[in-house]
Amino acid sequence: MIKLLGRLPERIKAMVGSGLAGWLGKTIRLTDGGFWGQWFGASNFTGKRVTVNSVLQLSAAWACVRRIAGTLSTLPVNMLEEQTSGAKTVARDHPLQRLLHNQPNADMTAAQFWQVFIVSLLLWGGAYVEKRMGASGRTLAGLEFLLPDFVTWDVQANGSVLWHYADPFTRQSRDIAAEAMWFTPFFTVDGFTPLSPVRMGANVFGGAMAADEASASTFTNGMKSSGLVMMNSILNPKQREEIREHVKTVTANGGVFVMEKGADYKQLTMNPQDAELLATRGYNVEEICRWFGVDPSLIGHGSKDSNWGTGLEEKMLWLVTLTLRPIAVLIEQSVRKNLLTPAEQLTFSAEFNLEGLLRGDSKSRAAWYSTMTQNGIMSRDECRAKENLEPMGGNAGVLTVQSNMLPLDKLGAAAPATTAADALKSWLGIEPARAANDD
């Protein structure tokens, strides 16, 4: 075991990175993977130090993580209770409804909590939350998110897992029993150990960093010449310096070149090496998007044709179906497994309301309401409730269907004649009286 000294100069602290600052003054074991991962970074072909912080400095990685976490974290999460009829209603009195939908702890709103939860899944491969019980010890009172870099675990002799958390805020380490930890692995091959996308994709992220560095080195401080001055005679050092200063001044101020003694100026175009560098950077964006399951056009990469019109609508549907929904189902099942008792699991469940994605699209929302009401699936009052409008009562709470659909063999047949009084009685459920000449 080693111990980082707490009185390191600020410059050294900045060099080791903010992720290691919380380890200062702490005893570090060989099993503390969070510390060693931050210290060495993930190995890769380029030799770049790939960590969560360095990966987020890549604009494509930042945009992908923000797109997924920012979208999914703003959707409402409700606890649902299954009724005897099979319908599911919001369990407003369940303690988890308040925690998951409104505020999981004293420091975070629900949107903030789900954002850091999903970011932890995307970058570290798993999310860690400590359960805080009420005074009785039987009711869940809070959910405290734990920073993944400071979480480790040991497997006890009896097979149970004992968690360890080096709290960077209190500078105290503590053990957390398995029953007090809500652990959600994102992608795993053994059902428990999370695979970090940052470490598994170190070659891709390291290559993108190397390409960015090469691009910056090429174009920073005039390292790439914009042109050549051709002379027909040999110059002395003083003359060369005068021409360099003249070219530098004209280039900076946009003036006119003045050449002497048969001098000629030739503009340099982009060479194949620079063009290949730009293509490599574009390819890196697509590679990073592949790791996070996001279409490049959804983070602003691609042509105008791919970022507009019906094509973009299909890509949005693709994002919801293939990226957001699998994460939502993973979390929903994790809630059921870790936060509900066996008896509650029979009737209660958590659910992300993916319909919340329609809130910003009035046209799609109106079309959806129209379809649901015209087919007798929802009433007008149920639609009004989703729009936070007061119920109208009466017939607004009645399920209705379109009545203009007839069998093919009835098309063209004359409708039976009815009087206004008969129509009113039929609507009220009163059978019309038989005519006097009826048998």
Side-chain angles (χ1 to χ4, degrees), residues 15-26:
M15 289 176 61
V16 300
S18 59
L20 296 179
W23 292 92
L24 297 176
K26 298 292 186 298

Side-chain angles (χ1 to χ4, degrees), residues 93-250:
D93 296 332
H94 197 283
L96 278 178
Q97 174 65 18
R98 174 182 59 82
L99 296 177
L100 301 181
H101 185 273
N102 299 333
Q103 187 171 355
N105 54 62
D107 300 322
M108 295 180 178
T109 63
Q112 292 171 331
F113 174 83
W114 289 119
Q115 178 175 290
V116 296
F117 190 99
I118 297 168
V119 167
S120 182
L121 292 179
L122 296 176
L123 295 177
W124 283 272
Y128 308 86
V129 177
E130 185 177 4
K131 308 175 193 176
R132 296 295 176 87
M133 309 304 291
S136 63
R138 293 177 296 179
T139 303
L140 193 61
L143 298 170
E144 295 290 339
F145 178 78
L146 304 179
L147 297 176
D149 273 338
F150 305 94
V151 177
T152 57
W153 67 84
D154 292 322
V155 179
Q156 305 299 299
N158 59 1
S160 63
V161 177
L162 180 63
W163 299 88
H164 311 283
Y165 186 57
D167 197 320
F169 303 106
T170 63
R171 296 185 176 274
Q172 299 293 328
S173 298
R174 66 176 185 272
D175 295 336
I176 303 175
E179 59 270 15
M181 175 68 81
W182 173 21
F183 168 56
T184 305
F186 183 34
F187 184 78
T188 174
V189 295
D190 61 4
F192 181 81
T193 306
L195 298 180
S196 168
V198 172
R199 297 188 66 83
M200 301 301 293
N203 288 325
V204 172
F205 299 122
M209 294 176 191
D212 285 351
E213 183 177 343
S215 176
S217 299
T218 302
F219 296 101
T220 302
N221 299 324
M223 295 182 68
K224 180 181 184 303
S225 298
S226 58
L228 296 176
V229 177
M230 311 295 293
M231 307 296 295
N232 61 358
S233 61
I234 299 176
L235 306 178
N236 59 47
K238 182 179 179 180
Q239 290 173 326
R240 294 192 190 98
E241 191 60 32
E242 289 177 351
I243 293 177
R244 289 193 183 99
E245 290 298 324
H246 175 67
V247 172
K248 184 184 299 182
T249 302
V250 172

Side-chain angles (χ1 to χ4, degrees), residues 5-18 21 24 171:
L5 299 179
R7 296 181 178 180
L8 290 178
E10 292 300 324
R11 184 177 180 183
I12 301 299
K13 291 182 181 180
M15 289 176 61
V16 300
S18 59
L24 297 176
R171 296 185 176 274

